[in-house]
Amino acid sequence: MDILLNHGGDLYISQNGDICLEASTRQKIMIRLRWLEREWRWNREEGLPYFDSLLIKNPDIDAFESAVREKIFEVDEVTDVKEVSVTFDSRTRQACLLFVAMTDLETIKGEVKIQC
């Protein structure tokens, strides 16, 4: 169980002012994809290398898509990753990650936007 987050990544607070617990595979994936490499002080190797591999001049999009796919597969419930698409706009320095992941119970589609 995790604390439920809203779509922006903040804590979800109910109308009664309560936090909610949720066992969400989608949330687990979204958290992993939003972590920047070396961001978490207890495990500097966790996260994706956005600044070293994607938010650079002439990034290797295929290699970064592979890294995203591997990160999604780290979630125990994920049985397959059907699609990963990464776009990067060098002018605005924004990236967009789209994915489709499978579990035994559901198909999860998601989008993560990164701005620098």
Side-chain angles (χ1 to χ4, degrees):
M1 285 291 185
D2 289 322
I3 295 173
L4 183 62
L5 304 177
N6 65 23
H7 292 289
D10 293 328
L11 288 176
Y12 173 80
I13 307 292
S14 73
Q15 291 180 348
N16 297 333
D18 297 326
I19 61 171
C20 299
L21 297 179
E22 178 74 23
S24 170
T25 303
R26 182 181 193 284
Q27 180 171 302
K28 289 177 187 178
I29 293 170
M30 299 297 282
I31 288 170
R32 287 192 190 296
L33 296 183
R34 287 183 177 138
W35 266 343
L36 305 177
E37 189 174 58
R38 297 184 297 274
E39 176 182 36
W40 196 33
R41 66 191 295 182
W42 290 283
N43 185 352
R44 296 285 187 193
E45 299 196 11
E46 187 61 60
L48 285 166
Y50 286 103
F51 292 110
D52 296 337
S53 299
L54 183 64
L55 303 172
I56 59 174
K57 186 175 183 176
N58 301 319
D60 184 346
I61 299 295
D62 291 336
F64 196 79
E65 285 176 351
S66 293
V68 169
R69 185 177 299 275
E70 288 175 21
K71 196 56 69 176
I72 293 170
F73 266 121
E74 288 179 5
V75 176
D76 291 336
E77 295 87 352
V78 173
T79 58
D80 194 11
V81 179
K82 292 290 186 186
E83 182 181 332
V84 171
S85 173
V86 175
T87 56
F88 173 63
D89 184 341
S90 60
R91 186 180 55 78
T92 62
R93 300 199 42 88
Q94 293 181 0
C96 181
L97 286 61
L98 299 172
F99 67 89
V100 178
M102 308 293 291
T103 71
D104 289 337
L105 303 174
E106 63 183 328
T107 299
I108 302 167
K109 296 179 183 181
E111 174 182 77
V112 174
K113 292 187 179 187
I114 303 294
Q115 287 186 279
C116 293

